[in-house]
Amino acid sequence: MLLLTFSFTENDNTTWQLKKDQDGITVYTKTERSSGLKVFRGVTEINGSLSSVISLMKSVAEGPNWIYNCTEATLLKSDNFWDEYIYFRTHVRWPFRDRDAIVHLNLSQDPISQIVTITMKGVPDYLPENRKVVRMPVMEGYWQLAPVDNGRILITYQMKSDHGKGIPDFLAKSSLIDYPFETLSKLRSRSQSPTYQHKVLPQIVEPKD
């Protein structure tokens, strides 16, 4: 199953480098050859159903409670369960300006494996820019939720982004590791809340025991 996550949408043959392996979370990074952008990939396992994890992820107002350095998450548009546009604002330590992004999310589930994939693509021109923050020109990646044995979900989180002007290299490099690690850690913890552990989403097919 782990090999499956590493083969998903691989179209760049640069090598992943393990940067952190702690508390059941592994973080890998690489530089995408075609764009020169840095990419991270975080992997962990979570106890719970697909519905429990997805319910948390779709509770947009909860974003600041588990997404690393997220200070604002607002649902802009949702025509149905599977498709959303969300505004995110991310804190960047002083003296640098905060970043923001508008992201188009598309959720799908494989009918055979029950693996859920949430693709994310930034749409920077969806809203006018706020002069107080820097709009991220590139944000693209995915979440993959793969059921494994004994009611556990293998989570893979991959993202490439351009933070925009004004971010020094040392801060960008540390964020490349801290962002997936802290986000996965908080997602794992928050998803254990009774609020989400007993959620059932009729749109999602749970694996058979």
Side-chain angles (χ1 to χ4, degrees):
M1 188 66 73
L2 186 60
L3 290 174
L4 182 149
T5 67
F6 272 67
S7 65
F8 181 80
T9 62
E10 283 294 344
N11 55 11
D12 187 287
N13 59 3
T14 50
T15 303
W16 288 101
Q17 295 184 333
L18 177 64
K19 294 295 185 178
K20 191 165 187 174
D21 185 352
Q22 181 180 323
D23 195 27
I25 300 171
T26 51
V27 176
Y28 304 82
T29 68
K30 71 173 183 175
T31 301
E32 187 178 68
R33 183 169 297 170
S34 58
S35 66
L37 293 175
K38 300 291 186 180
V39 190
F40 68 67
R41 174 180 281 163
V43 181
T44 194
E45 285 192 5
I46 291 179
N47 287 316
S49 64
L50 289 169
S51 288
S52 65
V53 179
I54 295 168
S55 292
L56 170 57
M57 298 175 82
K58 287 184 68 65
S59 298
V60 177
E62 279 267 25
N65 292 323
W66 63 274
I67 301 172
Y68 183 60
N69 278 346
C70 177
T71 59
E72 182 182 346
T74 304
L75 179 64
L76 300 176
K77 181 181 179 183
S78 178
D79 291 331
N80 53 60
F81 177 83
W82 310 98
D83 197 81
E84 296 177 334
Y85 288 81
I86 300 176
Y87 173 85
F88 293 100
R89 179 166 174 164
T90 301
H91 171 70
V92 179
R93 61 177 163 173
W94 188 88
F96 311 107
R97 283 192 289 168
D98 287 357
R99 311 284 124 165
D100 73 355
I102 299 95
V103 183
H104 180 204
L105 290 89
N106 184 268
L107 187 151
S108 61
Q109 183 174 29
D110 186 275
I112 298 174
S113 67
Q114 276 77 60
I115 291 174
V116 172
T117 302
I118 303 171
T119 60
M120 300 173 287
K121 187 172 179 60
V123 280
D125 297 327
Y126 191 89
L127 289 176
E129 294 186 24
N130 180 343
R131 293 183 180 180
K132 295 181 180 180
V133 299
V134 176
R135 177 68 44 83
M136 295 178 64
V138 178
M139 179 176 280
E140 185 174 342
Y142 68 86
W143 288 91
Q144 186 186 77
L145 285 65
V148 293
D149 294 338
N150 302 317
R152 296 177 67 81
I153 307 296
L154 180 66
I155 308 285
T156 303
Y157 176 32
Q158 179 171 314
M159 180 73 71
K160 69 175 179 181
S161 60
D162 180 344
H163 295 283
K165 59 185 178 181
I167 295 290
D169 287 344
F170 79 90
L171 193 57
K173 288 179 180 178
S174 64
S175 176
L176 197 66
I177 300 170
D178 294 342
Y179 196 97
F181 183 86
E182 296 296 337
T183 296
L184 286 169
S185 179
K186 291 178 181 179
L187 174 68
R188 187 173 60 188
S189 175
R190 193 72 177 170
S191 69
Q192 301 309 297
S193 164
T195 302
Y196 299 106
Q197 279 291 300
H198 304 295
K199 284 282 190 178
V200 176
L201 296 174
Q203 300 92 340
I204 298 298
V205 178
E206 298 289 346
K208 296 179 180 179
D209 296 333

